[in-house]
Amino acid sequence: MAVREVFRTHTRTQGTRTQGTRTQGTRTRDTRTQGTRTRDARAEDAGAVPEDGRTSCAAPAGTAAAGRAAQELGLRRAEFELAVHLGLIAVVGASGGGRPRVPEEEIARLREQPGFPDALAERVRTVGTAAGAALLDIVPARFTRLARAGCFSPVTFYLNRYRAVVWLYLADELAAFAGREPELLAGRTPPGMRTMLESGADWRARNWRSQRIDRLLTRTPDPWARAAVQASALDPVQLAEVVDDPYERAYLVRVRPEPVFGRPASMAARETMGELTLADDPDEILWRRINLSLELDAAREDRPAPRPGGDGEVRSVPAARSRTTAASPPTGRGLLARLGWRGRGIG
């Protein structure tokens, strides 16, 4: 027994020494990593982009790079990018094609808000199915049914190791849903919802697309860019049926606004996002085609799409064409004919 105790004591001592060595190594690596992050932040503040080595020589005065802004706001990079996407943090574009930057005044405004930094971090906290179910105090299966029925919408997603889409939800929105619809968290599922789910309905991707488009439109004043946002939800065949001019289609691709941050890094994630952004239900496709037609009318009245060899002059708008807005959409068979939807069913 004494031998065993001596062996155990020796093993503990050796393990402590080994752990100390590992800790020392970790501290060394952390120091090097911190130094790299500091250099990257300085490079970004100088107008450089550490990820691809490109440099922007004209960073707006009184602004901070994304990395430093996230650090000063107490947010992880993914949280910061989501906050920008949600419109919680204002950014400005850097001249010369640099990455967007955050005004110093915006950082100061956010830091002065009550409850900073926890309140800001809570507004961008996301949860998956398991954590969301725990937050609502329901089983994960019920959480998934509620999400499929469109009771709440995902705000972003990632791919797991099997390349399956994992939806993430804002914790704030789930809490608001629980306070608004407590009867859906317990008891039997309403008959209408149950019938819809049994038919295979899943509103998660559609709701994600809708919110994404709405948020892009909120910060997109240019009429051609707004039309491009609507066009991004249609596949090439659908788009060609609504926009028969190839030069206009090419221009829509050129001016299409992208998310300020948060573009997927991996090829698989980019391909998945490309698939998820396309409308896949007949009535959703029709809705996007109608909205694209309305935005396209406004864009054509603003200016024509550029053409090869054009002199850049704006064509005169025929007097018969009147500006069409969402408040007074065109009606009747004329609009459906323009959409190429004549004689089709949407059921």
Side-chain angles (χ1 to χ4, degrees):
M1 181 65 70
V3 174
R4 290 181 180 176
E5 290 177 353
V6 171
F7 177 76
R8 289 171 183 164
T9 302
H10 173 75
T11 302
R12 292 194 189 102
T13 304
Q14 186 65 28
T16 303
R17 291 173 180 170
T18 304
Q19 182 65 33
T21 303
R22 290 175 181 167
T23 302
Q24 182 65 30
T26 301
R27 289 173 179 167
T28 302
R29 287 194 300 272
D30 288 345
T31 302
R32 292 172 181 168
T33 302
Q34 183 65 33
T36 302
R37 289 174 179 166
T38 302
R39 287 194 299 272
D40 285 349
R42 289 173 181 169
E44 279 194 286
D45 281 336
V49 182
E51 293 139 9
D52 56 13
R54 287 187 236 169
T55 302
S56 172
C57 57
T63 62
R68 183 166 72 84
Q71 185 177 21
E72 292 191 16
L73 294 174
L75 299 175
R76 295 192 296 269
R77 191 57 178 263
E79 294 173 334
F80 171 82
E81 293 177 356
L82 181 57
V84 172
H85 172 66
L86 295 175
L88 302 178
I89 300 176
V91 296
V92 295
S95 59
R99 302 187 72 187
R101 299 171 66 87
V102 183
E104 297 284 359
E105 298 83 4
E106 178 71 357
I107 297 176
R109 180 187 70 83
L110 292 168
R111 290 177 62 89
E112 292 172 0
Q113 289 186 345
F116 177 85
D118 295 339
L120 179 60
E122 183 62 23
R123 295 180 70 183
V124 293
R125 183 166 69 93
T126 57
V127 294
T129 297
L135 183 64
L136 299 181
D137 196 22
I138 58 177
V139 297
R142 191 180 189 99
F143 181 93
T144 300
R145 289 197 300 271
L146 292 172
R148 285 179 53 203
C151 295
F152 38 79
S153 304
V155 68
T156 187
F157 72 91
Y158 70 91
L159 298 184
N160 64 13
R161 60 179 177 175
Y162 305 108
R163 294 193 175 183
V165 174
V166 178
W167 294 109
L168 297 176
Y169 307 82
L170 284 174
D172 264 3
E173 289 190 1
L174 295 181
F177 165 76
R180 187 174 62 251
E181 305 284 354
E183 66 278 2
L184 293 178
L185 303 180
R188 294 179 60 83
T189 302
M193 183 185 297
R194 186 166 59 249
T195 300
M196 181 179 66
L197 293 173
E198 289 173 353
S199 68
D202 189 342
W203 283 70
R204 289 175 294 184
R206 179 170 178 171
N207 284 345
W208 172 79
R209 277 191 295 272
S210 179
Q211 290 194 357
R212 180 177 181 273
I213 288 174
D214 289 345
R215 285 167 181 145
L216 284 173
L217 288 174
T218 298
R219 57 173 178 263
T220 305
D222 180 75
W224 278 100
R226 292 179 64 85
V229 171
Q230 299 288 356
S232 67
L234 298 175
D235 64 34
V237 175
Q238 298 282 349
L239 179 59
E241 290 182 354
V242 180
V243 189
D244 55 3
D245 188 329
Y247 296 111
E248 288 185 339
R249 293 199 303 271
Y251 192 46
L252 290 175
V253 172
R254 279 172 47 195
V255 301
R256 180 174 59 204
E258 297 291 342
V260 178
F261 294 104
R263 290 179 60 84
S266 70
M267 179 62 70
R270 286 197 296 271
E271 291 175 352
T272 300
M273 174 167 275
E275 296 171 359
L276 288 174
T277 54
L278 297 179
D280 58 4
D281 190 78
D283 66 335
E284 181 190 5
I285 293 172
L286 177 57
W287 177 248
R288 291 303 164 197
R289 289 168 68 117
I290 291 174
N291 279 284
L292 172 58
S293 181
L294 299 178
E295 294 286 0
L296 200 58
D297 280 347
R300 286 166 175 163
E301 290 191 6
D302 182 74
R303 66 183 185 277
R307 297 173 179 274
D311 56 7
E313 294 183 0
V314 177
R315 295 178 305 203
S316 61
V317 180
R321 175 181 291 171
S322 60
R323 186 176 183 86
T324 306
T325 64
S328 56
T331 58
R333 296 177 58 186
L335 176 60
L336 293 180
R338 289 171 53 203
L339 294 172
W341 211 263
R342 184 169 45 198
R344 299 186 185 182
I346 61 174

